[in-house]
Amino acid sequence: MSPTPSPGETTPRADAPLRTPIWALLPLRVFLGGTFLYAGLSKILDTHYLDHTSPLGVHAQMLHAATTSPIGPLVSFAAEHPTVTGLVIAFGEVAVGLGTLLGLFTDIAALGGFLLALSFFLTVSWTTRPYYFGADIVFAAAWTPLLVAGDAGLFSTTARLRAAIRRRRQPNSTPDDVKRRILLWGGLITATTAALGGGVIALTRRTTTNPKPSQPTDPGTNSPTVIAAVSAVAVGSSTRFTTPNGSAAYLLRPSTDTFMAFLATCTHQGCPITPTGSGFRCPCHGSTFDGNGQVTGGPATKPLINVPVQVVDGQVTTA
């Protein structure tokens, strides 16, 4: 009769009753793993992310965060190496996401997720008021159950590796030998996944960042673009439109003879803003702006970007 396996040597049965404790962390694990994987891939595929001149890039974000963060000196140091820092963050999120979803060194992945979320809270979300408007502190807290309990062996690549190694090496295997082989095979799986993912990402970036050869500038691209008829915009209302370069913006009419427009982008982290009352609000981190585009609530510190407009023959156009 074979000895009863110790906890963690084999993967628990996936058909175990749903009320058993091993299922309790699975929804949280799927959500956190999927979210961090998506966040990391979004950064890697974003052409602005590593652009040092873009206000939406990681360099600009770190410089802005350093002025208010309690770890400002560390953030300023990281901002001196934006490409390395940006790649570490992005690929760190991808690694955390994959590790959590696959059950590969889940406790280590959870530690990485906790540290990333904590760093975002201390930088990006530090000035968000009240604090619970910021999602990063919630993510940091959400990682702690997985940090303590891991994946409980459910749908766990690490548990399967441990069980397979023990079956092949018994009875001569030692705990140290098993751990060494788990690290070896786990590292091989991680490296293979990273290589395949990196190849796909590199190919994607190449096809998206190298479009058709540039064409001569169309002299008509700078001509005024009609936004709306004056009669179609009520006093005190706002109208969404697209600028000639493809950016989303809002046209406002605060009084009968006054029109103004702003890009629909929060100056904090580039999230799309939404009209609220007589101003705007950023749903990402809670920044608010009045009808003149001025900041009325952080973490944003700069006013909305103005879009020049004019009235020509009863039409509101870009200037």
Side-chain angles (χ1 to χ4, degrees):
M1 179 176 181
S2 60
T4 302
S6 59
E9 285 191 20
T10 60
T11 304
R13 291 168 57 96
D15 59 355
L18 291 179
R19 290 185 177 273
T20 54
I22 63 172
W23 288 95
L25 295 178
L26 187 60
L28 184 63
R29 175 180 158 194
V30 172
F31 172 74
L32 291 175
T35 299
F36 268 61
L37 177 60
Y38 174 75
L41 292 177
S42 297
K43 290 180 175 65
I44 294 171
L45 297 176
D46 185 358
T47 56
H48 297 288
Y49 182 64
L50 297 178
D51 185 353
H52 299 179
T53 63
S54 173
L56 304 180
V58 66
H59 184 232
Q61 294 175 22
M62 288 190 292
L63 290 177
H64 175 72
T67 61
T68 56
S69 171
I71 55 172
L74 180 60
V75 179
S76 297
F77 174 77
E80 296 176 1
H81 312 280
T83 300
V84 174
T85 303
L87 290 176
V88 167
I89 293 173
F91 280 100
E93 289 178 330
V94 171
V96 165
L98 285 176
T100 304
L101 290 173
L102 297 177
L104 185 61
F105 306 127
T106 307
D107 50 350
I108 298 177
L111 176 60
F114 172 79
L115 293 176
L116 282 169
L118 180 62
S119 68
F120 297 153
F121 168 66
L122 294 175
T123 53
V124 177
S125 302
W126 183 251
T127 57
T128 301
R129 297 292 183 271
Y131 75 91
Y132 50 79
F133 278 174
D136 297 314
I137 189 173
V138 180
F139 274 103
W143 278 110
T144 56
L146 294 178
L147 182 59
V148 173
D151 53 35
L154 184 65
F155 303 121
S156 171
T157 301
T158 301
R160 291 182 181 278
L161 285 174
R162 182 185 294 111
I165 291 171
R166 286 189 180 277
R167 284 196 300 269
R168 290 188 178 187
R169 302 287 296 180
Q170 284 181 346
N172 300 323
S173 60
T174 63
D176 290 340
D177 185 40
V178 173
K179 290 180 180 179
R180 186 165 51 250
R181 289 180 175 274
I182 290 175
L183 289 175
L184 175 64
W185 282 102
L188 181 61
I189 293 173
T190 303
T192 302
T193 303
L196 292 175
V200 173
I201 291 169
L203 180 61
T204 304
R205 286 186 65 89
R206 182 175 181 180
T207 56
T208 56
T209 58
N210 293 290
K212 297 179 181 179
S214 58
Q215 300 295 328
T217 303
D218 180 2
T221 55
N222 293 325
S223 60
T225 300
V226 175
I227 300 174
V230 171
S231 59
V233 185
V235 175
S237 69
S238 62
T239 300
R240 186 181 175 93
F241 70 97
T242 303
T243 64
N245 66 359
S247 300
Y250 282 100
L251 172 69
L252 290 80
R253 188 179 187 180
S255 64
T256 302
D257 300 322
T258 305
F259 290 89
M260 60 180 64
F262 304 100
L263 290 183
T265 303
C266 180
T267 53
H268 172 228
Q269 291 289 314
C271 291
I273 58 173
T274 56
T276 174
S278 59
F280 300 92
R281 183 180 183 277
C282 173
C284 295
H285 302 104
S287 297
T288 55
F289 306 84
D290 62 19
N292 294 316
Q294 299 300 312
V295 178
T296 57
T301 59
K302 298 179 180 179
L304 297 176
I305 299 175
N306 180 68
V307 178
V309 295
Q310 61 186 354
V311 177
V312 178
D313 298 330
Q315 302 287 335
V316 184
T317 71
T318 56

